[in-house]
Every structure is written in C-alpha cells, then in structure tokens.
PDB file of all heavy atoms in Angstrom:
ATOM      1  N   GLY C   1     174.492  62.359  75.807  1.00 93.00           N
ATOM      2  CA  GLY C   1     175.162  61.719  76.927  1.00 93.00           C
ATOM      3  C   GLY C   1     174.800  62.293  78.278  1.00 93.00           C
ATOM      4  O   GLY C   1     175.163  61.724  79.308  1.00 93.00           O
ATOM      5  N   GLY C   2     174.093  63.435  78.288  1.00 88.00           N
ATOM      6  CA  GLY C   2     173.701  64.031  79.554  1.00 88.00           C
ATOM      7  C   GLY C   2     174.815  64.763  80.258  1.00 88.00           C
ATOM      8  O   GLY C   2     174.687  65.105  81.433  1.00 88.00           O
ATOM      9  N   ALA C   3     175.925  65.012  79.547  1.00 81.00           N
ATOM     10  CA  ALA C   3     177.050  65.702  80.178  1.00 81.00           C
ATOM     11  C   ALA C   3     176.736  67.177  80.341  1.00 81.00           C
ATOM     12  O   ALA C   3     176.119  67.792  79.479  1.00 81.00           O
ATOM     13  CB  ALA C   3     178.320  65.527  79.349  1.00 81.00           C
ATOM     14  N   SER C   4     177.156  67.748  81.471  1.00 70.00           N
ATOM     15  CA  SER C   4     176.985  69.172  81.674  1.00 70.00           C
ATOM     16  C   SER C   4     177.999  69.922  80.813  1.00 70.00           C
ATOM     17  O   SER C   4     179.015  69.373  80.407  1.00 70.00           O
ATOM     18  CB  SER C   4     177.190  69.531  83.155  1.00 70.00           C
ATOM     19  OG  SER C   4     178.443  69.057  83.611  1.00 70.00           O
ATOM     20  N   GLY C   5     177.712  71.171  80.528  1.00 61.00           N
ATOM     21  CA  GLY C   5     178.607  71.964  79.705  1.00 61.00           C
ATOM     22  C   GLY C   5     178.180  71.954  78.249  1.00 61.00           C
ATOM     23  O   GLY C   5     177.185  71.352  77.862  1.00 61.00           O
ATOM     24  N   THR C   6     178.928  72.648  77.422  1.00 55.00           N
ATOM     25  CA  THR C   6     178.618  72.779  76.003  1.00 55.00           C
ATOM     26  C   THR C   6     179.755  72.228  75.179  1.00 55.00           C
ATOM     27  O   THR C   6     180.727  71.709  75.696  1.00 55.00           O
ATOM     28  CB  THR C   6     178.378  74.249  75.632  1.00 55.00           C
ATOM     29  OG1 THR C   6     179.565  75.011  75.928  1.00 55.00           O
ATOM     30  CG2 THR C   6     177.218  74.830  76.430  1.00 55.00           C
ATOM     31  N   THR C   7     179.620  72.372  73.877  1.00 64.00           N
ATOM     32  CA  THR C   7     180.669  71.904  72.985  1.00 64.00           C
ATOM     33  C   THR C   7     181.862  72.841  73.040  1.00 64.00           C
ATOM     34  O   THR C   7     181.867  73.836  73.771  1.00 64.00           O
ATOM     35  CB  THR C   7     180.124  71.775  71.556  1.00 64.00           C
ATOM     36  OG1 THR C   7     181.102  71.133  70.740  1.00 64.00           O
ATOM     37  CG2 THR C   7     179.800  73.145  70.974  1.00 64.00           C
ATOM     38  N   ARG C   8     182.876  72.547  72.244  1.00 72.00           N
ATOM     39  CA  ARG C   8     184.082  73.362  72.260  1.00 72.00           C
ATOM     40  C   ARG C   8     183.763  74.813  71.923  1.00 72.00           C
ATOM     41  O   ARG C   8     182.998  75.108  71.032  1.00 72.00           O
ATOM     42  CB  ARG C   8     185.088  72.811  71.257  1.00 72.00           C
ATOM     43  CG  ARG C   8     185.679  71.492  71.707  1.00 72.00           C
ATOM     44  CD  ARG C   8     186.637  70.929  70.696  1.00 72.00           C
ATOM     45  NE  ARG C   8     187.156  69.662  71.172  1.00 72.00           N
ATOM     46  CZ  ARG C   8     187.815  68.808  70.409  1.00 72.00           C
ATOM     47  NH1 ARG C   8     188.021  69.082  69.135  1.00 72.00           N
ATOM     48  NH2 ARG C   8     188.267  67.685  70.904  1.00 72.00           N
ATOM     49  N   GLU C   9     184.394  75.714  72.666  1.00 83.00           N
ATOM     50  CA  GLU C   9     184.142  77.129  72.477  1.00 83.00           C
ATOM     51  C   GLU C   9     185.259  77.751  71.644  1.00 83.00           C
ATOM     52  O   GLU C   9     186.427  77.379  71.759  1.00 83.00           O
ATOM     53  CB  GLU C   9     184.067  77.829  73.839  1.00 83.00           C
ATOM     54  CG  GLU C   9     182.930  77.344  74.719  1.00 83.00           C
ATOM     55  CD  GLU C   9     181.571  77.776  74.219  1.00 83.00           C
ATOM     56  OE1 GLU C   9     181.512  78.751  73.444  1.00 83.00           O
ATOM     57  OE2 GLU C   9     180.580  77.123  74.586  1.00 83.00           O
ATOM     58  N   GLU C  10     184.879  78.733  70.836  1.00 91.00           N
ATOM     59  CA  GLU C  10     185.880  79.505  70.118  1.00 91.00           C
ATOM     60  C   GLU C  10     186.664  80.358  71.105  1.00 91.00           C
ATOM     61  O   GLU C  10     186.139  80.802  72.121  1.00 91.00           O
ATOM     62  CB  GLU C  10     185.219  80.426  69.091  1.00 91.00           C
ATOM     63  CG  GLU C  10     184.627  79.725  67.893  1.00 91.00           C
ATOM     64  CD  GLU C  10     184.023  80.724  66.910  1.00 91.00           C
ATOM     65  OE1 GLU C  10     184.399  81.918  66.968  1.00 91.00           O
ATOM     66  OE2 GLU C  10     183.178  80.310  66.098  1.00 91.00           O
ATOM     67  N   VAL C  11     187.935  80.605  70.779  1.00 94.00           N
ATOM     68  CA  VAL C  11     188.743  81.542  71.547  1.00 94.00           C
ATOM     69  C   VAL C  11     189.099  82.702  70.631  1.00 94.00           C
ATOM     70  O   VAL C  11     189.020  82.596  69.402  1.00 94.00           O
ATOM     71  CB  VAL C  11     190.011  80.871  72.107  1.00 94.00           C
ATOM     72  CG1 VAL C  11     189.655  79.734  73.038  1.00 94.00           C
ATOM     73  CG2 VAL C  11     190.909  80.366  70.978  1.00 94.00           C
ATOM     74  N   CYS C  12     189.469  83.817  71.216  1.00 95.00           N
ATOM     75  CA  CYS C  12     189.846  84.988  70.437  1.00 95.00           C
ATOM     76  C   CYS C  12     191.255  84.809  69.888  1.00 95.00           C
ATOM     77  O   CYS C  12     192.164  84.390  70.608  1.00 95.00           O
ATOM     78  CB  CYS C  12     189.770  86.244  71.301  1.00 95.00           C
ATOM     79  SG  CYS C  12     188.096  86.670  71.809  1.00 95.00           S
ATOM     80  N   ALA C  13     191.433  85.138  68.615  1.00 97.00           N
ATOM     81  CA  ALA C  13     192.725  85.005  67.973  1.00 97.00           C
ATOM     82  C   ALA C  13     192.948  86.203  67.060  1.00 97.00           C
ATOM     83  O   ALA C  13     192.064  87.057  66.884  1.00 97.00           O
ATOM     84  CB  ALA C  13     192.803  83.706  67.176  1.00 97.00           C
ATOM     85  N   VAL C  14     194.140  86.271  66.471  1.00 97.00           N
ATOM     86  CA  VAL C  14     194.531  87.381  65.611  1.00 97.00           C
ATOM     87  C   VAL C  14     195.094  86.811  64.314  1.00 97.00           C
ATOM     88  O   VAL C  14     195.867  85.842  64.324  1.00 97.00           O
ATOM     89  CB  VAL C  14     195.585  88.274  66.306  1.00 97.00           C
ATOM     90  CG1 VAL C  14     196.124  89.330  65.352  1.00 97.00           C
ATOM     91  CG2 VAL C  14     194.985  88.933  67.538  1.00 97.00           C
ATOM     92  N   ALA C  15     194.708  87.398  63.195  1.00 97.00           N
ATOM     93  CA  ALA C  15     195.218  86.957  61.900  1.00 97.00           C
ATOM     94  C   ALA C  15     196.670  87.392  61.738  1.00 97.00           C
ATOM     95  O   ALA C  15     197.024  88.531  62.038  1.00 97.00           O
ATOM     96  CB  ALA C  15     194.373  87.538  60.770  1.00 97.00           C
ATOM     97  N   GLY C  16     197.477  86.483  61.241  1.00 97.00           N
ATOM     98  CA  GLY C  16     198.858  86.805  60.895  1.00 97.00           C
ATOM     99  C   GLY C  16     199.062  86.785  59.400  1.00 97.00           C
ATOM    100  O   GLY C  16     200.183  86.593  58.923  1.00 97.00           O
ATOM    101  N   TYR C  17     197.990  86.993  58.652  1.00 97.00           N
ATOM    102  CA  TYR C  17     198.048  86.874  57.195  1.00 97.00           C
ATOM    103  C   TYR C  17     197.001  87.772  56.563  1.00 97.00           C
ATOM    104  O   TYR C  17     196.154  88.355  57.245  1.00 97.00           O
ATOM    105  CB  TYR C  17     197.797  85.422  56.784  1.00 97.00           C
ATOM    106  CG  TYR C  17     196.394  84.933  57.070  1.00 97.00           C
ATOM    107  CD1 TYR C  17     195.436  84.865  56.070  1.00 97.00           C
ATOM    108  CD2 TYR C  17     196.015  84.547  58.358  1.00 97.00           C
ATOM    109  CE1 TYR C  17     194.140  84.413  56.331  1.00 97.00           C
ATOM    110  CE2 TYR C  17     194.730  84.094  58.632  1.00 97.00           C
ATOM    111  CZ  TYR C  17     193.799  84.031  57.615  1.00 97.00           C
ATOM    112  OH  TYR C  17     192.527  83.605  57.879  1.00 97.00           O
ATOM    113  N   ALA C  18     197.067  87.890  55.241  1.00 97.00           N
ATOM    114  CA  ALA C  18     196.083  88.655  54.472  1.00 97.00           C
ATOM    115  C   ALA C  18     195.425  87.736  53.454  1.00 97.00           C
ATOM    116  O   ALA C  18     196.074  86.851  52.884  1.00 97.00           O
ATOM    117  CB  ALA C  18     196.755  89.833  53.768  1.00 97.00           C
ATOM    118  N   ALA C  19     194.120  87.928  53.240  1.00 96.00           N
ATOM    119  CA  ALA C  19     193.400  87.123  52.257  1.00 96.00           C
ATOM    120  C   ALA C  19     192.110  87.833  51.886  1.00 96.00           C
ATOM    121  O   ALA C  19     191.571  88.618  52.668  1.00 96.00           O
ATOM    122  CB  ALA C  19     193.093  85.740  52.818  1.00 96.00           C
ATOM    123  N   ARG C  20     191.623  87.554  50.685  1.00 96.00           N
ATOM    124  CA  ARG C  20     190.319  88.042  50.254  1.00 96.00           C
ATOM    125  C   ARG C  20     189.393  86.842  50.087  1.00 96.00           C
ATOM    126  O   ARG C  20     189.843  85.730  49.805  1.00 96.00           O
ATOM    127  CB  ARG C  20     190.417  88.825  48.943  1.00 96.00           C
ATOM    128  CG  ARG C  20     191.295  90.070  49.044  1.00 96.00           C
ATOM    129  CD  ARG C  20     191.050  91.014  47.882  1.00 96.00           C
ATOM    130  NE  ARG C  20     189.695  91.536  47.865  1.00 96.00           N
ATOM    131  CZ  ARG C  20     189.261  92.550  48.609  1.00 96.00           C
ATOM    132  NH1 ARG C  20     190.079  93.157  49.440  1.00 96.00           N
ATOM    133  NH2 ARG C  20     187.995  92.957  48.533  1.00 96.00           N
ATOM    134  N   ARG C  21     188.085  87.069  50.267  1.00 95.00           N
ATOM    135  CA  ARG C  21     187.140  85.965  50.216  1.00 95.00           C
ATOM    136  C   ARG C  21     185.753  86.482  49.855  1.00 95.00           C
ATOM    137  O   ARG C  21     185.471  87.685  49.955  1.00 95.00           O
ATOM    138  CB  ARG C  21     187.096  85.230  51.559  1.00 95.00           C
ATOM    139  CG  ARG C  21     186.649  86.123  52.698  1.00 95.00           C
ATOM    140  CD  ARG C  21     186.660  85.406  54.029  1.00 95.00           C
ATOM    141  NE  ARG C  21     185.712  84.325  54.081  1.00 95.00           N
ATOM    142  CZ  ARG C  21     184.416  84.461  54.388  1.00 95.00           C
ATOM    143  NH1 ARG C  21     183.913  85.655  54.651  1.00 95.00           N
ATOM    144  NH2 ARG C  21     183.618  83.421  54.418  1.00 95.00           N
ATOM    145  N   ARG C  22     184.879  85.552  49.476  1.00 95.00           N
ATOM    146  CA  ARG C  22     183.491  85.888  49.214  1.00 95.00           C
ATOM    147  C   ARG C  22     182.724  85.882  50.528  1.00 95.00           C
ATOM    148  O   ARG C  22     182.950  85.036  51.396  1.00 95.00           O
ATOM    149  CB  ARG C  22     182.872  84.882  48.246  1.00 95.00           C
ATOM    150  CG  ARG C  22     183.480  84.927  46.856  1.00 95.00           C
ATOM    151  CD  ARG C  22     182.832  83.906  45.944  1.00 95.00           C
ATOM    152  NE  ARG C  22     181.403  84.175  45.751  1.00 95.00           N
ATOM    153  CZ  ARG C  22     180.602  83.429  44.992  1.00 95.00           C
ATOM    154  NH1 ARG C  22     181.085  82.356  44.369  1.00 95.00           N
ATOM    155  NH2 ARG C  22     179.323  83.742  44.860  1.00 95.00           N
ATOM    156  N   THR C  23     181.803  86.810  50.648  1.00 96.00           N
ATOM    157  CA  THR C  23     181.001  86.884  51.870  1.00 96.00           C
ATOM    158  C   THR C  23     179.826  85.912  51.778  1.00 96.00           C
ATOM    159  O   THR C  23     179.551  85.324  50.744  1.00 96.00           O
ATOM    160  CB  THR C  23     180.470  88.309  52.087  1.00 96.00           C
ATOM    161  OG1 THR C  23     179.644  88.666  50.967  1.00 96.00           O
ATOM    162  CG2 THR C  23     181.618  89.299  52.223  1.00 96.00           C
ATOM    163  N   GLY C  24     179.125  85.759  52.911  1.00 95.00           N
ATOM    164  CA  GLY C  24     177.894  84.975  52.922  1.00 95.00           C
ATOM    165  C   GLY C  24     177.959  83.703  53.733  1.00 95.00           C
ATOM    166  O   GLY C  24     176.919  83.193  54.164  1.00 95.00           O
ATOM    167  N   ARG C  25     179.169  83.147  53.935  1.00 96.00           N
ATOM    168  CA  ARG C  25     179.292  81.912  54.710  1.00 96.00           C
ATOM    169  C   ARG C  25     180.422  82.053  55.726  1.00 96.00           C
ATOM    170  O   ARG C  25     181.491  82.571  55.408  1.00 96.00           O
ATOM    171  CB  ARG C  25     179.580  80.709  53.806  1.00 96.00           C
ATOM    172  CG  ARG C  25     178.417  80.306  52.924  1.00 96.00           C
ATOM    173  CD  ARG C  25     178.669  78.941  52.297  1.00 96.00           C
ATOM    174  NE  ARG C  25     179.605  79.001  51.181  1.00 96.00           N
ATOM    175  CZ  ARG C  25     180.193  77.926  50.641  1.00 96.00           C
ATOM    176  NH1 ARG C  25     179.968  76.726  51.144  1.00 96.00           N
ATOM    177  NH2 ARG C  25     181.011  78.058  49.623  1.00 96.00           N
ATOM    178  N   THR C  26     180.176  81.581  56.942  1.00 97.00           N
ATOM    179  CA  THR C  26     181.243  81.520  57.932  1.00 97.00           C
ATOM    180  C   THR C  26     182.251  80.473  57.482  1.00 97.00           C
ATOM    181  O   THR C  26     181.882  79.350  57.145  1.00 97.00           O
ATOM    182  CB  THR C  26     180.685  81.148  59.311  1.00 97.00           C
ATOM    183  OG1 THR C  26     179.660  82.081  59.672  1.00 97.00           O
ATOM    184  CG2 THR C  26     181.775  81.180  60.365  1.00 97.00           C
ATOM    185  N   GLU C  27     183.520  80.852  57.484  1.00 97.00           N
ATOM    186  CA  GLU C  27     184.551  79.964  56.933  1.00 97.00           C
ATOM    187  C   GLU C  27     185.448  79.437  58.048  1.00 97.00           C
ATOM    188  O   GLU C  27     185.840  80.179  58.956  1.00 97.00           O
ATOM    189  CB  GLU C  27     185.390  80.704  55.896  1.00 97.00           C
ATOM    190  CG  GLU C  27     186.363  79.817  55.147  1.00 97.00           C
ATOM    191  CD  GLU C  27     187.009  80.528  53.969  1.00 97.00           C
ATOM    192  OE1 GLU C  27     186.719  81.721  53.750  1.00 97.00           O
ATOM    193  OE2 GLU C  27     187.806  79.872  53.261  1.00 97.00           O
ATOM    194  N   TYR C  28     185.769  78.150  57.952  1.00 97.00           N
ATOM    195  CA  TYR C  28     186.646  77.478  58.916  1.00 97.00           C
ATOM    196  C   TYR C  28     187.893  76.998  58.174  1.00 97.00           C
ATOM    197  O   TYR C  28     187.799  76.151  57.279  1.00 97.00           O
ATOM    198  CB  TYR C  28     185.910  76.315  59.588  1.00 97.00           C
ATOM    199  CG  TYR C  28     184.796  76.800  60.480  1.00 97.00           C
ATOM    200  CD1 TYR C  28     183.563  77.196  59.950  1.00 97.00           C
ATOM    201  CD2 TYR C  28     184.983  76.920  61.852  1.00 97.00           C
ATOM    202  CE1 TYR C  28     182.558  77.676  60.766  1.00 97.00           C
ATOM    203  CE2 TYR C  28     183.968  77.395  62.678  1.00 97.00           C
ATOM    204  CZ  TYR C  28     182.760  77.775  62.127  1.00 97.00           C
ATOM    205  OH  TYR C  28     181.763  78.252  62.927  1.00 97.00           O
ATOM    206  N   VAL C  29     189.035  77.554  58.548  1.00 97.00           N
ATOM    207  CA  VAL C  29     190.281  77.342  57.808  1.00 97.00           C
ATOM    208  C   VAL C  29     191.304  76.678  58.728  1.00 97.00           C
ATOM    209  O   VAL C  29     191.593  77.202  59.809  1.00 97.00           O
ATOM    210  CB  VAL C  29     190.844  78.687  57.302  1.00 97.00           C
ATOM    211  CG1 VAL C  29     192.141  78.466  56.531  1.00 97.00           C
ATOM    212  CG2 VAL C  29     189.817  79.409  56.439  1.00 97.00           C
ATOM    213  N   PRO C  30     191.875  75.534  58.333  1.00 97.00           N
ATOM    214  CA  PRO C  30     192.953  74.956  59.141  1.00 97.00           C
ATOM    215  C   PRO C  30     194.074  75.976  59.328  1.00 97.00           C
ATOM    216  O   PRO C  30     194.526  76.597  58.359  1.00 97.00           O
ATOM    217  CB  PRO C  30     193.412  73.750  58.316  1.00 97.00           C
ATOM    218  CG  PRO C  30     192.217  73.389  57.493  1.00 97.00           C
ATOM    219  CD  PRO C  30     191.562  74.696  57.160  1.00 97.00           C
ATOM    220  N   ALA C  31     194.491  76.170  60.555  1.00 97.00           N
ATOM    221  CA  ALA C  31     195.479  77.207  60.846  1.00 97.00           C
ATOM    222  C   ALA C  31     196.409  76.754  61.955  1.00 97.00           C
ATOM    223  O   ALA C  31     196.032  75.972  62.827  1.00 97.00           O
ATOM    224  CB  ALA C  31     194.784  78.515  61.237  1.00 97.00           C
ATOM    225  N   ARG C  32     197.601  77.307  61.903  1.00 97.00           N
ATOM    226  CA  ARG C  32     198.627  77.002  62.894  1.00 97.00           C
ATOM    227  C   ARG C  32     198.909  78.246  63.725  1.00 97.00           C
ATOM    228  O   ARG C  32     198.863  79.372  63.217  1.00 97.00           O
ATOM    229  CB  ARG C  32     199.907  76.547  62.195  1.00 97.00           C
ATOM    230  CG  ARG C  32     201.012  76.070  63.132  1.00 97.00           C
ATOM    231  CD  ARG C  32     202.193  75.549  62.315  1.00 97.00           C
ATOM    232  NE  ARG C  32     203.274  75.076  63.171  1.00 97.00           N
ATOM    233  CZ  ARG C  32     203.310  73.891  63.747  1.00 97.00           C
ATOM    234  NH1 ARG C  32     202.318  73.051  63.535  1.00 97.00           N
ATOM    235  NH2 ARG C  32     204.312  73.530  64.506  1.00 97.00           N
ATOM    236  N   ILE C  33     199.166  78.055  65.005  1.00 97.00           N
ATOM    237  CA  ILE C  33     199.568  79.160  65.875  1.00 97.00           C
ATOM    238  C   ILE C  33     201.056  79.417  65.646  1.00 97.00           C
ATOM    239  O   ILE C  33     201.887  78.533  65.905  1.00 97.00           O
ATOM    240  CB  ILE C  33     199.299  78.829  67.349  1.00 97.00           C
ATOM    241  CG1 ILE C  33     197.808  78.617  67.589  1.00 97.00           C
ATOM    242  CG2 ILE C  33     199.814  79.949  68.249  1.00 97.00           C
ATOM    243  CD1 ILE C  33     197.466  78.140  68.986  1.00 97.00           C
ATOM    244  N   VAL C  34     201.381  80.597  65.152  1.00 97.00           N
ATOM    245  CA  VAL C  34     202.780  80.911  64.847  1.00 97.00           C
ATOM    246  C   VAL C  34     203.417  81.793  65.912  1.00 97.00           C
ATOM    247  O   VAL C  34     204.646  81.865  66.009  1.00 97.00           O
ATOM    248  CB  VAL C  34     202.904  81.575  63.459  1.00 97.00           C
ATOM    249  CG1 VAL C  34     202.534  80.574  62.368  1.00 97.00           C
ATOM    250  CG2 VAL C  34     202.025  82.824  63.352  1.00 97.00           C
ATOM    251  N   SER C  35     202.609  82.482  66.712  1.00 96.00           N
ATOM    252  CA  SER C  35     203.120  83.315  67.800  1.00 96.00           C
ATOM    253  C   SER C  35     201.937  83.726  68.666  1.00 96.00           C
ATOM    254  O   SER C  35     200.815  83.257  68.445  1.00 96.00           O
ATOM    255  CB  SER C  35     203.843  84.558  67.257  1.00 96.00           C
ATOM    256  OG  SER C  35     202.947  85.384  66.527  1.00 96.00           O
ATOM    257  N   ARG C  36     202.207  84.601  69.611  1.00 96.00           N
ATOM    258  CA  ARG C  36     201.138  85.145  70.440  1.00 96.00           C
ATOM    259  C   ARG C  36     201.335  86.652  70.589  1.00 96.00           C
ATOM    260  O   ARG C  36     202.453  87.144  70.557  1.00 96.00           O
ATOM    261  CB  ARG C  36     201.097  84.474  71.815  1.00 96.00           C
ATOM    262  CG  ARG C  36     200.632  83.022  71.779  1.00 96.00           C
ATOM    263  CD  ARG C  36     200.450  82.475  73.185  1.00 96.00           C
ATOM    264  NE  ARG C  36     200.077  81.068  73.152  1.00 96.00           N
ATOM    265  CZ  ARG C  36     198.820  80.630  73.077  1.00 96.00           C
ATOM    266  NH1 ARG C  36     197.830  81.499  73.025  1.00 96.00           N
ATOM    267  NH2 ARG C  36     198.554  79.342  73.057  1.00 96.00           N
ATOM    268  N   THR C  37     200.228  87.334  70.757  1.00 95.00           N
ATOM    269  CA  THR C  37     200.299  88.764  71.010  1.00 95.00           C
ATOM    270  C   THR C  37     200.782  88.999  72.435  1.00 95.00           C
ATOM    271  O   THR C  37     200.803  88.065  73.249  1.00 95.00           O
ATOM    272  CB  THR C  37     198.912  89.409  70.841  1.00 95.00           C
ATOM    273  OG1 THR C  37     198.048  88.929  71.886  1.00 95.00           O
ATOM    274  CG2 THR C  37     198.316  89.080  69.469  1.00 95.00           C
ATOM    275  N   PRO C  38     201.179  90.249  72.772  1.00 95.00           N
ATOM    276  CA  PRO C  38     201.573  90.517  74.168  1.00 95.00           C
ATOM    277  C   PRO C  38     200.486  90.147  75.169  1.00 95.00           C
ATOM    278  O   PRO C  38     200.790  89.812  76.315  1.00 95.00           O
ATOM    279  CB  PRO C  38     201.852  92.032  74.160  1.00 95.00           C
ATOM    280  CG  PRO C  38     202.273  92.323  72.753  1.00 95.00           C
ATOM    281  CD  PRO C  38     201.439  91.409  71.894  1.00 95.00           C
ATOM    282  N   ALA C  39     199.220  90.203  74.737  1.00 94.00           N
ATOM    283  CA  ALA C  39     198.119  89.836  75.639  1.00 94.00           C
ATOM    284  C   ALA C  39     197.883  88.330  75.682  1.00 94.00           C
ATOM    285  O   ALA C  39     197.016  87.867  76.431  1.00 94.00           O
ATOM    286  CB  ALA C  39     196.834  90.545  75.204  1.00 94.00           C
ATOM    287  N   GLY C  40     198.623  87.572  74.876  1.00 93.00           N
ATOM    288  CA  GLY C  40     198.502  86.118  74.909  1.00 93.00           C
ATOM    289  C   GLY C  40     197.599  85.515  73.859  1.00 93.00           C
ATOM    290  O   GLY C  40     197.439  84.286  73.813  1.00 93.00           O
ATOM    291  N   ALA C  41     196.989  86.328  72.988  1.00 95.00           N
ATOM    292  CA  ALA C  41     196.114  85.782  71.952  1.00 95.00           C
ATOM    293  C   ALA C  41     196.941  85.082  70.882  1.00 95.00           C
ATOM    294  O   ALA C  41     197.993  85.581  70.478  1.00 95.00           O
ATOM    295  CB  ALA C  41     195.288  86.898  71.314  1.00 95.00           C
ATOM    296  N   PRO C  42     196.489  83.910  70.404  1.00 96.00           N
ATOM    297  CA  PRO C  42     197.241  83.218  69.357  1.00 96.00           C
ATOM    298  C   PRO C  42     197.184  83.979  68.034  1.00 96.00           C
ATOM    299  O   PRO C  42     196.147  84.536  67.665  1.00 96.00           O
ATOM    300  CB  PRO C  42     196.528  81.863  69.254  1.00 96.00           C
ATOM    301  CG  PRO C  42     195.170  82.086  69.814  1.00 96.00           C
ATOM    302  CD  PRO C  42     195.301  83.160  70.839  1.00 96.00           C
ATOM    303  N   VAL C  43     198.321  84.014  67.350  1.00 98.00           N
ATOM    304  CA  VAL C  43     198.407  84.595  66.012  1.00 98.00           C
ATOM    305  C   VAL C  43     198.401  83.444  65.015  1.00 98.00           C
ATOM    306  O   VAL C  43     199.200  82.506  65.132  1.00 98.00           O
ATOM    307  CB  VAL C  43     199.675  85.456  65.856  1.00 98.00           C
ATOM    308  CG1 VAL C  43     199.771  86.024  64.434  1.00 98.00           C
ATOM    309  CG2 VAL C  43     199.681  86.583  66.885  1.00 98.00           C
ATOM    310  N   LEU C  44     197.503  83.494  64.035  1.00 98.00           N
ATOM    311  CA  LEU C  44     197.225  82.355  63.172  1.00 98.00           C
ATOM    312  C   LEU C  44     197.774  82.534  61.769  1.00 98.00           C
ATOM    313  O   LEU C  44     197.760  83.636  61.215  1.00 98.00           O
ATOM    314  CB  LEU C  44     195.703  82.125  63.083  1.00 98.00           C
ATOM    315  CG  LEU C  44     194.952  81.972  64.405  1.00 98.00           C
ATOM    316  CD1 LEU C  44     193.477  81.767  64.128  1.00 98.00           C
ATOM    317  CD2 LEU C  44     195.525  80.812  65.223  1.00 98.00           C
ATOM    318  N   GLN C  45     198.215  81.430  61.199  1.00 97.00           N
ATOM    319  CA  GLN C  45     198.626  81.358  59.802  1.00 97.00           C
ATOM    320  C   GLN C  45     197.894  80.186  59.165  1.00 97.00           C
ATOM    321  O   GLN C  45     197.933  79.064  59.686  1.00 97.00           O
ATOM    322  CB  GLN C  45     200.144  81.137  59.689  1.00 97.00           C
ATOM    323  CG  GLN C  45     200.700  81.243  58.282  1.00 97.00           C
ATOM    324  CD  GLN C  45     200.664  82.670  57.734  1.00 97.00           C
ATOM    325  OE1 GLN C  45     200.824  83.615  58.484  1.00 97.00           O
ATOM    326  NE2 GLN C  45     200.435  82.814  56.448  1.00 97.00           N
ATOM    327  N   PRO C  46     197.177  80.412  58.051  1.00 97.00           N
ATOM    328  CA  PRO C  46     196.426  79.313  57.433  1.00 97.00           C
ATOM    329  C   PRO C  46     197.352  78.296  56.785  1.00 97.00           C
ATOM    330  O   PRO C  46     198.473  78.619  56.375  1.00 97.00           O
ATOM    331  CB  PRO C  46     195.563  80.033  56.392  1.00 97.00           C
ATOM    332  CG  PRO C  46     196.357  81.241  56.025  1.00 97.00           C
ATOM    333  CD  PRO C  46     197.057  81.665  57.284  1.00 97.00           C
ATOM    334  N   LEU C  47     196.869  77.073  56.686  1.00 96.00           N
ATOM    335  CA  LEU C  47     197.617  75.996  56.036  1.00 96.00           C
ATOM    336  C   LEU C  47     196.755  75.400  54.929  1.00 96.00           C
ATOM    337  O   LEU C  47     195.521  75.416  54.994  1.00 96.00           O
ATOM    338  CB  LEU C  47     197.984  74.907  57.042  1.00 96.00           C
ATOM    339  CG  LEU C  47     198.952  75.289  58.162  1.00 96.00           C
ATOM    340  CD1 LEU C  47     199.191  74.096  59.069  1.00 96.00           C
ATOM    341  CD2 LEU C  47     200.278  75.786  57.598  1.00 96.00           C
ATOM    342  N   GLY C  48     197.414  74.818  53.924  1.00 89.00           N
ATOM    343  CA  GLY C  48     196.698  74.147  52.855  1.00 89.00           C
ATOM    344  C   GLY C  48     196.345  75.090  51.729  1.00 89.00           C
ATOM    345  O   GLY C  48     196.592  76.298  51.770  1.00 89.00           O
TER     346      GLY C  48
END
C-alpha cells in the first residue's frame, strides 16, 4: 500500500503465570492483561 511505518510492534510485558515448553520455536499464546507492574508493563495470563 505504500504506507509509511512498519507492522505492529511488540511491547514489553511480564508473565503472570508459570509454564514449561519445548524450545526451538517462537510461541504466540492468546493472553489477557490481568494487571500492570508499577512501571506500567502489562502482566499477562494465557487463555485457552
């Protein structure tokens, strides 16, 4: 489209949960913001 700028950028967040996983692939997990840190970073909880 010739639009200036780039696609959506990642923001810094903090995990609010524990999980184990296999390495080797970047994983994208649906998550909800449940709170924020004192610095304002979203705290995430996975869904599904």
